[in-house]
Amino acid sequence: MRLLFPLLLYCCSVQAAADLSQLRYLTEEYPPYNFSSEQGQVSGFTIDILHLVWREMAVEPQPIEILPWARGYYLLANRDNVVLFSTARTDARAPLFQWACSLGTLELNLYAFKQTAPRLTRLDDAKRLVVVAVREDVGEQLLLSHGFNPALLVRTSSLEQAVRVLSSGRADLLSSNRLTLVSTLKRQGYEPGMMAPLLEVSHKPLCFAFSTGIPAQLVSDFQAVLNRVLSSEEGRRLRQKYFDEETLLSVP
């Protein structure tokens, strides 16, 4: 009887590893959380955290696909075996998927280049302007939930494209997460200080989103290991590596 409990733990661990290896892991270009490195590899804070979770759960490293956000979100909603990250957990999205949180906080703001920034004092002031956002991203969805006119939203497949739309003058404002925008501007050769945060839209946790067809116990096991990884010394070192320098563009 003494061997029964360790044996059950081992069997559960083996089963969890087998189940996690059957999932499809999807992400997007969303630095510093997840992005393509210059060597063509998938990198970022969330990627490194995921590898630590796999290691703790005895899962061999799995393929990670980088897709346009709208495509990844569609697959999450319409397939039974998808994990999409880093995904903002909003009130509207919460009942649609299963979640393992939190990788950090999405600080969603409206931005403009300083030389062309309009004067805004409240969110309603921005509703008369053209705003660019990534298609199906939380930056678009939350604006719509706040009553922004869909006809005044320019939708792109990536934040890099959204920055180009703003710099070309085809939009007045850009909706984005602060940390991701800072990293994206640097990668595109812009000085982040050229852009100003004008209004805060929302704060939401960033998470792993799981298809509803994935066993709930597997998601719960993943969450428990994620908690341990995030609070570990390795997790703290990863936060310092990816986030310590990303301190610009905060709304006053």
Side-chain angles (χ1 to χ4, degrees):
M1 292 296 292
R2 292 181 182 177
L3 295 177
L4 180 58
F5 186 61
L7 181 60
L8 287 174
L9 285 177
Y10 172 76
C11 291
C12 291
S13 176
V14 170
Q15 182 60 49
D19 289 342
L20 285 172
S21 67
Q22 296 172 13
L23 302 182
R24 187 177 178 186
Y25 297 87
L26 307 180
T27 190
E28 64 163 338
E29 295 286 354
Y30 202 67
Y33 295 97
N34 19 265
F35 56 90
S36 300
S37 69
E38 293 181 357
Q39 293 74 33
Q41 298 179 334
V42 186
S43 302
F45 174 75
T46 306
I47 304 299
D48 289 353
I49 290 293
L50 179 57
H51 277 272
L52 292 179
V53 172
W54 283 336
R55 186 189 70 187
E56 293 297 310
M57 300 185 76
V59 180
E60 291 294 322
Q62 300 296 304
I64 299 173
E65 302 173 61
I66 290 187
L67 298 175
W69 180 255
R71 176 63 177 165
Y73 192 80
Y74 172 84
L75 292 171
L76 175 67
N78 291 278
R79 299 290 187 271
D80 291 333
N81 66 334
V82 170
V83 184
L84 180 66
F85 57 92
S86 303
T87 309
R89 190 180 190 276
T90 65
D91 293 341
R93 289 175 174 176
L96 302 179
F97 312 113
Q98 301 182 82
W99 302 89
C101 303
S102 166
L103 297 162
T105 301
L106 176 140
E107 302 173 39
L108 186 66
N109 303 315
L110 291 176
Y111 296 90
F113 283 102
K114 288 181 178 179
Q115 290 185 337
T116 58
R119 286 184 170 274
L120 304 174
T121 57
R122 56 196 181 101
L123 204 56
D124 282 348
D125 296 339
K127 292 181 180 179
R128 57 183 172 79
L129 301 175
V130 177
V131 183
V132 60
V134 176
R135 186 179 294 106
E136 298 296 338
D137 180 69
V138 65
E140 175 197 11
Q141 294 179 348
L142 286 176
L143 291 181
L144 293 173
S145 72
H146 280 290
F148 277 67
N149 185 351
L152 293 177
L153 294 182
V154 178
R155 298 164 173 87
T156 65
S157 61
S158 69
L159 185 56
E160 288 84 354
Q161 291 182 3
V163 171
R164 289 196 290 270
V165 168
L166 184 69
S167 64
S168 71
R170 288 180 286 152
D172 304 299
L173 302 169
L174 183 149
S175 177
S176 177
N177 176 28
R178 178 178 64 86
L179 288 177
T180 303
L181 181 58
V182 171
S183 293
T184 299
L185 290 171
K186 289 180 178 178
R187 284 159 63 88
Q188 289 187 282
Y190 288 101
E191 170 55 50
M194 295 172 59
M195 191 167 283
L198 304 183
L199 293 170
E200 178 183 301
V201 179
S202 182
H203 278 56
K204 298 294 179 184
L206 286 169
C207 310
F208 292 95
F210 292 75
S211 299
T212 55
I214 295 172
Q217 184 59 53
L218 184 62
V219 180
S220 178
D221 293 343
F222 186 99
Q223 176 71 78
V225 176
L226 176 64
N227 290 343
R228 293 202 299 271
V229 165
L230 289 171
S231 61
S232 69
E233 183 59 35
E234 286 179 291
R236 287 190 286 271
R237 283 200 298 266
L238 288 174
R239 288 188 183 279
Q240 292 175 348
K241 173 182 176 180
Y242 287 103
F243 300 134
D244 271 6
E245 294 183 0
E246 310 297 349
T247 58
L248 302 174
L249 297 184
S250 295
V251 174

